[in-house]
Amino acid sequence: MRFSVVLHTDDGARFGVTVPDLPGCFSSGETFQQALDCVVEAIELHLQGLVEAGGKVPAPRFIAEHRSNPDFVGGVWATVEVESPRHSQGSK
C-alpha cells in the first residue's frame, strides 16, 4: 500500500510527519530520510492496531486530494510504501 505523507520542519533539519489518511498517525525524524523511515513503521503499527480492533483499513488517497487542507500548507509531500496489514486468520 502507498500512503501520502506530509513533512513539516521549523529548522530545515528535523521533520514531523503526518499521515492524512490515518488520523492520529504521525512520526518524526532528525533527517528527511529518517522521518520517512520512521513514518513507515508508524503506519504499519497504526494499521495493525486498526485490524486487531476489527476496524477497516482506509483506502489511501492521492496527494492532490489532500493539498487543499489548510493544516498541510507549507508541507513537503511524499508517498511511502507499507506492508498490507495481516488480517485475523493469518492471511496476508
Side-chain angles (χ1 to χ4, degrees), residues 14-48:
R14 293 177 294 267
F15 295 85
V17 190
T18 303
V19 186
D21 290 317
L22 301 173
C25 184
F26 54 88
S27 190
S28 64
E30 292 295 317
T31 66
F32 189 88
Q33 187 59 52
Q34 183 186 40
L36 290 176
D37 292 342
C38 289
V39 80
V40 168
E41 182 178 3
I43 292 169
E44 289 173 347
L45 290 170
H46 191 92
L47 295 178
Q48 180 182 352

Side-chain angles (χ1 to χ4, degrees):
M1 300 179 78
R2 292 189 71 78
F3 280 91
S4 300
V5 298
V6 61
L7 296 94
H8 284 92
T9 182
D10 291 330
D11 62 7
R14 293 177 294 267
F15 295 85
V17 190
T18 303
V19 186
D21 290 317
L22 301 173
C25 184
F26 54 88
S27 190
S28 64
E30 292 295 317
T31 66
F32 189 88
Q33 187 59 52
Q34 183 186 40
L36 290 176
D37 292 342
C38 289
V39 80
V40 168
E41 182 178 3
I43 292 169
E44 289 173 347
L45 290 170
H46 191 92
L47 295 178
Q48 180 182 352
L50 283 174
V51 169
E52 289 174 358
K56 288 187 173 185
V57 173
R61 295 180 290 161
F62 294 107
I63 290 171
E65 296 179 57
H66 297 294
R67 284 191 189 262
S68 62
N69 186 327
D71 291 339
F72 307 130
V73 170
V76 175
W77 290 92
T79 57
V80 294
E81 184 87 24
V82 298
E83 294 287 325
S84 295
R86 293 182 185 208
H87 299 291
S88 55
Q89 317 256 325
S91 64
K92 287 186 179 182

